[in-house]
Amino acid sequence: MPPAVRRLASIAVVVLGALAYAAPALTDNAGLTPVDPKSPNAEAINDTYYVLLGVTGVVFFAVEIALVVFLLKYRRRDRPVDAEGPQIHGNTRLELIWTIVPVFLVMIVVGYVFFKLPDVSDVTRAAAEPAGEPNLLIDVEGRRFYWEFRYPDGSVTYDTMVVPVNRTVELNVTAPDFDVIHSWWIPALGGKIDAIPGKLNHTWFRAEAEGEYEGSCTEFCGLQHAEMTMIVRAVPASGYDAELAQLAGSGEAQFEATCAKCHNLSGPRLVGPTLGGNPTLADRGSLATLLREGRGAMPAVGRGWTDEQLDTLFEYTRRAGAGQ
Amino acid sequence: MTVQAEQIYPVSWYRGRFASWLVTNDHKRIGLLYIWTSLVFFLLGGVMALLIRTELLTSETADVVSRQTYNQLFTMHGLTMIFLVIVPILAGFGNFLVPLMIGARDMVFPRLNAFSYWTFLLGGIVLYSSWFSAGGAADTGWYLSPPYATRTGTSVDLTILALHLLAVSSLAGAINFVATVHMLRTAGMSWMRMPLFVWSIYTYAWMLILALPAVGAALTMLLLDRTAGTHFFLPDEGGNAVLYQHMFWFFGHPEVYIMILPAFGIVSEVIPVFSRKPIFGYTAMAFSLVGIAFVSMLVWAHHMFAVGLPNFLNGFFMIASVLVGVPTGVKIINWLATLWRGNVTFTTPMLFALGLISVFTIGGLTGIMIAAFPFDWQVHDTYFIVAHMHYVLFGGSIFGIFAGLYYWWPKLFGRMLGESLGRLNFWLYFVGINLTFGPQHFLGLLGMPRRVAGYRDEPWWETWNIVSTIGSFTLGLGTLVFLVNVWRSRKARRVGNDPWLGDTLEWYTTSPPPEHNFDKLPYISSPRPLRDLRLRLKEELR
């Protein structure tokens, strides 16, 4: 390639490459920033992201621009291959400068993180508002391969957590002793925390707008790890109790979360066999044994469930089984 | 009529064409065995990566490979690339080059050296044999974390055995490197005249010695939990799952620097030669290696920010982690300063070295970002981390390794790799890595977790995954170009001792070097004995 063509081609590549990245950035959030935060802790993390991006961005451009400029300026051109540059072995003062400057840069990062940290992890700060309302405490259990949420009034939901909007929610996150490690993460509602057997972890959020916030289990937990997703549904405080009661009483929702990821009721085999016509669906005793013990590759989905939990599911499977 | 020399002495079996490779104690042959074996595993690991990327082309779960196979693929891809490619190929370079660079006849323990290689090969075979065991290859992720690793039906036991073998191999090799550097430096080769690549292998070896016992203990305890009824890590029997993570990452993080420091060493050899300047700040470059190694022993829990450690511990590990950026930054700036006012020639090894500066910088900077633990809470175990670590390990280690392959190929075989194909190889890799791993940052920020065979179909997720998969096949194409280049180099023109006008002792001997390495050695009065020699010769000719 003649040099002129080569230069044109390389400029074209750079411009097109920049456009490819810039176009989505201008349209909507294509991933250049974290998910739009909808909780104070997520907002604090988002602020941290911009500071991190700023500091590292400056270094990135400094290094890459210096690299490109030096390569253009000091390329060989028509010098002989063995022509030497000036034999500079170093410069103590310069090297001290570029040892100390990075120390300051990383200290900016560290300082900002500690400055923002209370907003992220200190739930008492968040509890200040809305005034008078006690925090809602929800126990979160990661299970293969669903999430179980236990509310203060004793009701239980699976994979979908119902919370009142604008109320601080504290989560006690763990996994049963016989299970494996999972990780709780709703990107719009703050950072993740692992659900570890034998360890009780805490996190919190306050959903600032109504809607459904999706997330995924983020610690590899086995065959259906990808399917282990969860939703936080933020509803107005007025309709909260009804919404929770409706979901907690739904055997179908329970079935969708705990059974349907591996089993179809009818149709092709998923990870496990199709359930339609299976007598276990209508036999509470053997269903209880199966769920509490597991079988073969199937984890003990219902170990530790209360009789009410089992009843809710059985009520549904009995009807669903009969419907086949 | 041809005259054939009469054979006076019978040639022993172990001098045979193949048998001689089986019984060799020669560091150069062992080095080549390491390099070839690692390259074969590199292809296997690469094929697994392409399968993973093909599965992720669409959001649908398990449309190309089954869920189980997918989990095994990403586990084996990680184990292969770490334990069977990057660490051993660097040991291969070290084996071939360290004795040559310090003017030695061989490694200090040649038979231990052979033992290292054959244990490594055995470990690789055992690891791959797990595909054919009853449970199939491990599906746990490369870190084999309990309790999952005790609850899976796959063959974690064989994986542990393989890792034990590989650890023994690395440990023996590392002790050998340290002893060789201490004992066998030739006259005049003082510590501060050692090539930086030797410094990097020396640090690499010390880190292996310090870090491997931790993982050996962790894996042994895990094995006992699985087979002997102990309960170190089993919460239902009173054990502690987080303990394993501390032990594993105490090894796991230094392992990252074990994989990157020798690549830095290679770049520190290549850039001065093709800039026709000495490395800027030799002392700082040598001690920054040691500094990175030291700090890297104190950062392990930054892999565990989501575990729920107290914030003062998170804070400590954040500070330690960002401090790694300081000596690393010194290295990058010193490389740039070496280019400054140089006579820069764009040979293939130089392209890969410059590519490392450009691409590794991205991985280093995202490393600073995720050391800030609140931000890590957001992106931990997402594709952001996948992007970060591939920018470090592909953009750093593999680019460094390819710079090394192209740079030392003439010394290894006496023939050059083709420059045109080499440049093509570089550009495919450079474009490929940015296409593959650049968009993965965005996927992570959007919330896509790692280690999933399918994903939620949200805006942009599939788009970026398609770009990433296209990138991965670009990398695959680059690898094919490299293979063609290797194949064609069999017939390439022979080169002399020093085709690049190198600075260090390995270029003093023939290419490839004779079994005893050197007939005689030049006088060594600086880290660049060959340049000194060239100047003296020029003086004499005048």
Side-chain angles (χ1 to χ4, degrees), chain B residues 74-84 127 142 159 163:
Chain B
F74 70 67
T75 304
M76 287 295 276
H77 166 76
L79 287 168
T80 301
M81 289 306 194
I82 292 166
F83 292 104
L84 303 180
L127 185 61
W142 80 281
T159 310
L163 293 185

Side-chain angles (χ1 to χ4, degrees), chain A residues 28 30 64 74 76 80-81 83-85 87 89 98 177-179 185 187 192 194 201 216 218-220 224, chain B residues 67 139 143 151 276 278 281 284 306-308 311 334 341 343-344 358 377-378 380-381 456 460 464 528 531:
Chain A
D28 59 4
E64 303 287 347
Y74 304 116
R76 183 161 65 86
V81 175
E84 291 194 327
Q87 300 298 300
H89 288 270
W98 62 58
D177 282 349
F178 53 83
D179 213 275
W185 186 41
K192 62 181 65 63
D194 286 353
N201 277 329
S216 302
T218 32
E219 180 69 48
F220 177 70
Q224 290 288 61
Chain B
R67 291 169 171 82
D139 67 342
Y143 59 125
R151 311 220 196 281
R276 302 276 153 235
V307 159
N311 272 342
N334 278 3
R341 297 181 65 192
N343 180 16
V344 179
S358 167
W377 287 337
Q378 193 69 18
H380 191 80
D381 266 325
R456 311 202 306 271
W460 288 101
W464 289 133
R528 302 200 292 163
R531 174 175 175 275

Side-chain angles (χ1 to χ4, degrees), chain B residues 146-160:
Chain B
Y148 185 71
T150 60
R151 311 220 196 281
T152 172
T154 53
S155 186
V156 174
D157 297 337
L158 266 182
T159 310
I160 293 175

Side-chain angles (χ1 to χ4, degrees), chain A residues 13 20-21 23-25 27-35 42 45 48-49 52-53 55-57 59-64 66-67 70-77 79-91 94-95 98-100 102-103 106-107 109-111 113-114 116-117 120-121 144-145 176-181 183 185-199 201 214-227 229-230 261 270-271, chain B residues 61 67-68 71 74 139-141 143 145-148 151 234-236 241-242 245 275-282 284-285 305-309 311 315-316 318-319 322-323 325-326 329-330 332-334 336-337 339-346 350 354 357-359 361-362 365-366 368-370 372-382 384 391 434-435 438-439 441-456 458-461 464 501 528 531 534-535 538:
Chain A
V13 167
Y21 278 77
T27 51
D28 59 4
N29 183 8
L32 304 194
T33 60
V35 173
I45 291 178
T48 313
Y49 169 75
L52 290 169
L53 193 66
V55 172
T56 54
V59 179
F60 170 75
F61 281 110
V63 169
E64 303 287 347
L67 180 64
F70 286 2
L71 293 187
L72 289 176
K73 198 159 172 204
Y74 304 116
R75 69 184 191 277
R76 183 161 65 86
R77 294 206 175 92
R79 280 181 283 179
V81 175
D82 62 345
E84 291 194 327
Q87 300 298 300
I88 307 160
H89 288 270
N91 181 316
L94 277 178
E95 286 173 65
W98 62 58
T99 310
I100 291 168
V103 173
V106 298
M107 282 309 135
V109 169
V110 170
V113 166
F114 281 125
K116 273 284 176 185
L117 184 58
V120 181
S121 61
R144 282 178 290 174
F145 297 96
D177 282 349
F178 53 83
D179 213 275
V180 302
I181 303 177
S183 193
W185 186 41
I186 304 284
L189 301 179
K192 62 181 65 63
I193 188 83
D194 286 353
I196 301 173
K199 188 174 192 312
N201 277 329
E214 283 184 77
S216 302
C217 171
T218 32
E219 180 69 48
F220 177 70
C221 58
L223 209 55
Q224 290 288 61
H225 171 53
E227 253 66 34
T229 57
M230 60 282 206
K261 285 169 186 162
L270 289 180
V271 173
Chain B
T61 308
R67 291 169 171 82
Q68 179 74 1
N71 296 344
F74 70 67
D139 67 342
T140 56
Y143 59 125
S145 172
Y148 185 71
R151 311 220 196 281
L234 301 180
D236 42 345
V242 178
Q245 298 191 18
S275 306
R276 302 276 153 235
K277 281 183 64 193
I279 189 85
F280 193 96
Y282 172 93
M285 291 303 257
F305 283 151
V307 159
L309 300 175
N311 272 342
F316 170 82
M318 166 179 68
I319 294 172
V322 294
L323 283 179
V326 175
V330 167
I332 289 175
I333 301 172
N334 278 3
L336 291 175
L339 295 171
W340 181 64
R341 297 181 65 192
N343 180 16
V344 179
T345 316
F346 294 108
M350 184 63 163
L354 298 169
I357 299 181
S358 167
V359 181
T361 298
I362 298 174
L365 290 171
T366 51
I368 299 279
M369 295 178 83
I370 54 183
F373 58 95
F375 178 66
D376 183 70
W377 287 337
Q378 193 69 18
V379 295
H380 191 80
D381 266 325
T382 68
F384 193 91
Y391 264 95
N434 287 304
L435 274 183
H441 291 114
F442 310 151
L443 284 169
L445 289 172
L446 288 172
M448 178 168 163
R450 320 164 57 166
R451 302 192 171 109
V452 287
Y455 43 91
R456 311 202 306 271
E458 297 199 24
W460 288 101
W461 286 32
W464 289 133
L501 300 178
R528 302 200 292 163
R531 174 175 175 275
R534 276 199 301 276
L535 289 185
K538 221 179 256 178

